[in-house]
Amino acid sequence: MASRRLSGQGREFRGRTAELFHYVEYFFYIAVAAALGIVGAIIFGHAVYTFVTGIEDEGLGSAVLQLLDQLLLVFIVAELIHTVRAVINDRVLISEPFLIVGIVASIRRLIVVTAEVPRFVGTDEFASLMLEIGVLVGAVLALGLTVFLLRHTEHPEPRPSGEREPAR
């Protein structure tokens, strides 16, 4: 009889402990999302400021390129916030947002490297830049194919409750 009472108390203790860690987990998810939101706002503000002040100093083309680079970084942060929100709402961690972040990060670097290429034509670094462009294009294609396959497999990963299955 004492062992049954202890096992009941043990289950209750485990339940309370699990609930406590559930709240701790949510606290950290919310803290990470808030920190990402602050970082995204700071990057966005800095991007606009740099664009406005950089038009006169660096010229329009360079300022637009730098603005695009920074806005893509803000997009990456926003996609990470979306992922954290999905985890909080649905208790499901899905890989697709991380793949999208990888695609955007690769495209972001591809834009920067492509803009640098004309300065290095005829130098030793030109071949390295061409190799980097090739690797980045390969990464974008591989990640894009992975997203496509995830969306069109027979048993896709769990989706947040607010999102529908893609049409097949």
PDB file of all heavy atoms in Angstrom, residues 75-92:
ATOM      1  N   PHE A  75      14.881  40.149 -42.972  1.00  0.00           N
ATOM      2  CA  PHE A  75      13.985  39.069 -43.380  1.00  0.00           C
ATOM      3  C   PHE A  75      14.375  37.756 -42.708  1.00  0.00           C
ATOM      4  O   PHE A  75      13.513  36.985 -42.279  1.00  0.00           O
ATOM      5  CB  PHE A  75      14.003  38.926 -44.909  1.00  0.00           C
ATOM      6  CG  PHE A  75      13.063  37.875 -45.415  1.00  0.00           C
ATOM      7  CD1 PHE A  75      11.712  38.124 -45.504  1.00  0.00           C
ATOM      8  CD2 PHE A  75      13.533  36.624 -45.774  1.00  0.00           C
ATOM      9  CE1 PHE A  75      10.840  37.151 -45.955  1.00  0.00           C
ATOM     10  CE2 PHE A  75      12.672  35.647 -46.228  1.00  0.00           C
ATOM     11  CZ  PHE A  75      11.319  35.902 -46.322  1.00  0.00           C
ATOM     12  N   ILE A  76      15.660  37.480 -42.618  1.00  0.00           N
ATOM     13  CA  ILE A  76      16.129  36.269 -41.935  1.00  0.00           C
ATOM     14  C   ILE A  76      15.693  36.283 -40.479  1.00  0.00           C
ATOM     15  O   ILE A  76      15.193  35.280 -39.954  1.00  0.00           O
ATOM     16  CB  ILE A  76      17.664  36.139 -42.065  1.00  0.00           C
ATOM     17  CG1 ILE A  76      18.052  35.800 -43.501  1.00  0.00           C
ATOM     18  CG2 ILE A  76      18.214  35.094 -41.095  1.00  0.00           C
ATOM     19  CD1 ILE A  76      19.542  35.883 -43.785  1.00  0.00           C
ATOM     20  N   VAL A  77      15.862  37.409 -39.817  1.00  0.00           N
ATOM     21  CA  VAL A  77      15.452  37.531 -38.411  1.00  0.00           C
ATOM     22  C   VAL A  77      13.937  37.338 -38.294  1.00  0.00           C
ATOM     23  O   VAL A  77      13.462  36.630 -37.389  1.00  0.00           O
ATOM     24  CB  VAL A  77      15.900  38.888 -37.827  1.00  0.00           C
ATOM     25  CG1 VAL A  77      15.289  39.130 -36.454  1.00  0.00           C
ATOM     26  CG2 VAL A  77      17.418  38.958 -37.745  1.00  0.00           C
ATOM     27  N   ALA A  78      13.173  37.920 -39.208  1.00  0.00           N
ATOM     28  CA  ALA A  78      11.715  37.765 -39.168  1.00  0.00           C
ATOM     29  C   ALA A  78      11.323  36.302 -39.360  1.00  0.00           C
ATOM     30  O   ALA A  78      10.393  35.808 -38.700  1.00  0.00           O
ATOM     31  CB  ALA A  78      11.066  38.634 -40.250  1.00  0.00           C
ATOM     32  N   GLU A  79      12.015  35.596 -40.232  1.00  0.00           N
ATOM     33  CA  GLU A  79      11.715  34.169 -40.454  1.00  0.00           C
ATOM     34  C   GLU A  79      12.041  33.346 -39.207  1.00  0.00           C
ATOM     35  O   GLU A  79      11.317  32.410 -38.871  1.00  0.00           O
ATOM     36  CB  GLU A  79      12.496  33.667 -41.671  1.00  0.00           C
ATOM     37  CG  GLU A  79      12.055  32.333 -42.171  1.00  0.00           C
ATOM     38  CD  GLU A  79      10.626  32.309 -42.710  1.00  0.00           C
ATOM     39  OE1 GLU A  79      10.141  33.320 -43.228  1.00  0.00           O
ATOM     40  OE2 GLU A  79       9.977  31.247 -42.611  1.00  0.00           O
ATOM     41  N   LEU A  80      13.089  33.713 -38.507  1.00  0.00           N
ATOM     42  CA  LEU A  80      13.405  33.022 -37.252  1.00  0.00           C
ATOM     43  C   LEU A  80      12.340  33.295 -36.193  1.00  0.00           C
ATOM     44  O   LEU A  80      11.965  32.391 -35.437  1.00  0.00           O
ATOM     45  CB  LEU A  80      14.794  33.438 -36.752  1.00  0.00           C
ATOM     46  CG  LEU A  80      15.970  32.938 -37.588  1.00  0.00           C
ATOM     47  CD1 LEU A  80      17.273  33.563 -37.103  1.00  0.00           C
ATOM     48  CD2 LEU A  80      16.053  31.421 -37.551  1.00  0.00           C
ATOM     49  N   ILE A  81      11.835  34.525 -36.149  1.00  0.00           N
ATOM     50  CA  ILE A  81      10.747  34.845 -35.219  1.00  0.00           C
ATOM     51  C   ILE A  81       9.508  34.026 -35.570  1.00  0.00           C
ATOM     52  O   ILE A  81       8.829  33.493 -34.677  1.00  0.00           O
ATOM     53  CB  ILE A  81      10.441  36.362 -35.231  1.00  0.00           C
ATOM     54  CG1 ILE A  81      11.607  37.140 -34.625  1.00  0.00           C
ATOM     55  CG2 ILE A  81       9.154  36.663 -34.467  1.00  0.00           C
ATOM     56  CD1 ILE A  81      11.505  38.640 -34.806  1.00  0.00           C
ATOM     57  N   HIS A  82       9.217  33.896 -36.850  1.00  0.00           N
ATOM     58  CA  HIS A  82       8.088  33.073 -37.293  1.00  0.00           C
ATOM     59  C   HIS A  82       8.255  31.634 -36.806  1.00  0.00           C
ATOM     60  O   HIS A  82       7.293  31.001 -36.353  1.00  0.00           O
ATOM     61  CB  HIS A  82       7.979  33.117 -38.820  1.00  0.00           C
ATOM     62  CG  HIS A  82       7.057  32.098 -39.383  1.00  0.00           C
ATOM     63  ND1 HIS A  82       5.681  32.223 -39.338  1.00  0.00           N
ATOM     64  CD2 HIS A  82       7.298  30.909 -39.992  1.00  0.00           C
ATOM     65  CE1 HIS A  82       5.125  31.166 -39.904  1.00  0.00           C
ATOM     66  NE2 HIS A  82       6.086  30.353 -40.312  1.00  0.00           N
ATOM     67  N   THR A  83       9.459  31.122 -36.903  1.00  0.00           N
ATOM     68  CA  THR A  83       9.731  29.752 -36.462  1.00  0.00           C
ATOM     69  C   THR A  83       9.501  29.602 -34.963  1.00  0.00           C
ATOM     70  O   THR A  83       8.873  28.632 -34.518  1.00  0.00           O
ATOM     71  CB  THR A  83      11.178  29.356 -36.820  1.00  0.00           C
ATOM     72  OG1 THR A  83      11.356  29.518 -38.221  1.00  0.00           O
ATOM     73  CG2 THR A  83      11.470  27.930 -36.420  1.00  0.00           C
ATOM     74  N   VAL A  84       9.990  30.554 -34.183  1.00  0.00           N
ATOM     75  CA  VAL A  84       9.788  30.499 -32.729  1.00  0.00           C
ATOM     76  C   VAL A  84       8.297  30.588 -32.403  1.00  0.00           C
ATOM     77  O   VAL A  84       7.797  29.866 -31.541  1.00  0.00           O
ATOM     78  CB  VAL A  84      10.587  31.620 -32.022  1.00  0.00           C
ATOM     79  CG1 VAL A  84      10.237  31.689 -30.548  1.00  0.00           C
ATOM     80  CG2 VAL A  84      12.086  31.397 -32.195  1.00  0.00           C
ATOM     81  N   ARG A  85       7.586  31.449 -33.113  1.00  0.00           N
ATOM     82  CA  ARG A  85       6.136  31.573 -32.887  1.00  0.00           C
ATOM     83  C   ARG A  85       5.424  30.259 -33.189  1.00  0.00           C
ATOM     84  O   ARG A  85       4.536  29.830 -32.442  1.00  0.00           O
ATOM     85  CB  ARG A  85       5.557  32.688 -33.760  1.00  0.00           C
ATOM     86  CG  ARG A  85       4.072  32.923 -33.513  1.00  0.00           C
ATOM     87  CD  ARG A  85       3.484  33.938 -34.474  1.00  0.00           C
ATOM     88  NE  ARG A  85       3.692  33.623 -35.872  1.00  0.00           N
ATOM     89  CZ  ARG A  85       2.984  32.704 -36.547  1.00  0.00           C
ATOM     90  NH1 ARG A  85       2.037  32.020 -35.942  1.00  0.00           N
ATOM     91  NH2 ARG A  85       3.228  32.474 -37.828  1.00  0.00           N
ATOM     92  N   ALA A  86       5.829  29.591 -34.264  1.00  0.00           N
ATOM     93  CA  ALA A  86       5.214  28.304 -34.604  1.00  0.00           C
ATOM     94  C   ALA A  86       5.489  27.268 -33.525  1.00  0.00           C
ATOM     95  O   ALA A  86       4.608  26.473 -33.182  1.00  0.00           O
ATOM     96  CB  ALA A  86       5.727  27.815 -35.957  1.00  0.00           C
ATOM     97  N   VAL A  87       6.677  27.295 -32.978  1.00  0.00           N
ATOM     98  CA  VAL A  87       7.016  26.352 -31.902  1.00  0.00           C
ATOM     99  C   VAL A  87       6.171  26.654 -30.667  1.00  0.00           C
ATOM    100  O   VAL A  87       5.647  25.742 -30.017  1.00  0.00           O
ATOM    101  CB  VAL A  87       8.524  26.409 -31.563  1.00  0.00           C
ATOM    102  CG1 VAL A  87       8.829  25.636 -30.296  1.00  0.00           C
ATOM    103  CG2 VAL A  87       9.346  25.869 -32.727  1.00  0.00           C
ATOM    104  N   ILE A  88       6.003  27.925 -30.333  1.00  0.00           N
ATOM    105  CA  ILE A  88       5.203  28.299 -29.160  1.00  0.00           C
ATOM    106  C   ILE A  88       3.740  27.906 -29.366  1.00  0.00           C
ATOM    107  O   ILE A  88       3.118  27.309 -28.489  1.00  0.00           O
ATOM    108  CB  ILE A  88       5.321  29.813 -28.877  1.00  0.00           C
ATOM    109  CG1 ILE A  88       6.723  30.142 -28.371  1.00  0.00           C
ATOM    110  CG2 ILE A  88       4.281  30.261 -27.853  1.00  0.00           C
ATOM    111  CD1 ILE A  88       6.997  31.630 -28.270  1.00  0.00           C
ATOM    112  N   ASN A  89       3.175  28.234 -30.533  1.00  0.00           N
ATOM    113  CA  ASN A  89       1.755  27.972 -30.785  1.00  0.00           C
ATOM    114  C   ASN A  89       1.433  26.496 -30.916  1.00  0.00           C
ATOM    115  O   ASN A  89       0.420  26.028 -30.407  1.00  0.00           O
ATOM    116  CB  ASN A  89       1.292  28.690 -32.055  1.00  0.00           C
ATOM    117  CG  ASN A  89       1.161  30.176 -31.856  1.00  0.00           C
ATOM    118  OD1 ASN A  89       1.123  30.667 -30.736  1.00  0.00           O
ATOM    119  ND2 ASN A  89       1.119  30.894 -32.954  1.00  0.00           N
ATOM    120  N   ASP A  90       2.272  25.765 -31.635  1.00  0.00           N
ATOM    121  CA  ASP A  90       1.907  24.415 -32.026  1.00  0.00           C
ATOM    122  C   ASP A  90       2.763  23.323 -31.403  1.00  0.00           C
ATOM    123  O   ASP A  90       2.509  22.144 -31.656  1.00  0.00           O
ATOM    124  CB  ASP A  90       1.981  24.290 -33.555  1.00  0.00           C
ATOM    125  CG  ASP A  90       1.075  25.297 -34.230  1.00  0.00           C
ATOM    126  OD1 ASP A  90      -0.074  25.441 -33.777  1.00  0.00           O
ATOM    127  OD2 ASP A  90       1.525  25.934 -35.189  1.00  0.00           O
ATOM    128  N   ARG A  91       3.776  23.718 -30.655  1.00  0.00           N
ATOM    129  CA  ARG A  91       4.689  22.758 -30.029  1.00  0.00           C
ATOM    130  C   ARG A  91       5.289  21.817 -31.067  1.00  0.00           C
ATOM    131  O   ARG A  91       5.453  20.628 -30.828  1.00  0.00           O
ATOM    132  CB  ARG A  91       3.982  21.964 -28.942  1.00  0.00           C
ATOM    133  CG  ARG A  91       3.439  22.840 -27.841  1.00  0.00           C
ATOM    134  CD  ARG A  91       2.643  22.035 -26.884  1.00  0.00           C
ATOM    135  NE  ARG A  91       3.264  22.119 -25.578  1.00  0.00           N
ATOM    136  CZ  ARG A  91       2.846  21.449 -24.535  1.00  0.00           C
ATOM    137  NH1 ARG A  91       1.837  20.622 -24.642  1.00  0.00           N
ATOM    138  NH2 ARG A  91       3.440  21.583 -23.381  1.00  0.00           N
ATOM    139  N   VAL A  92       5.579  22.358 -32.248  1.00  0.00           N
ATOM    140  CA  VAL A  92       6.152  21.583 -33.335  1.00  0.00           C
ATOM    141  C   VAL A  92       7.331  22.369 -33.902  1.00  0.00           C
ATOM    142  O   VAL A  92       7.194  23.544 -34.223  1.00  0.00           O
ATOM    143  CB  VAL A  92       5.114  21.340 -34.456  1.00  0.00           C
ATOM    144  CG1 VAL A  92       5.757  20.669 -35.651  1.00  0.00           C
ATOM    145  CG2 VAL A  92       3.958  20.515 -33.937  1.00  0.00           C
TER     146      VAL A  92
END
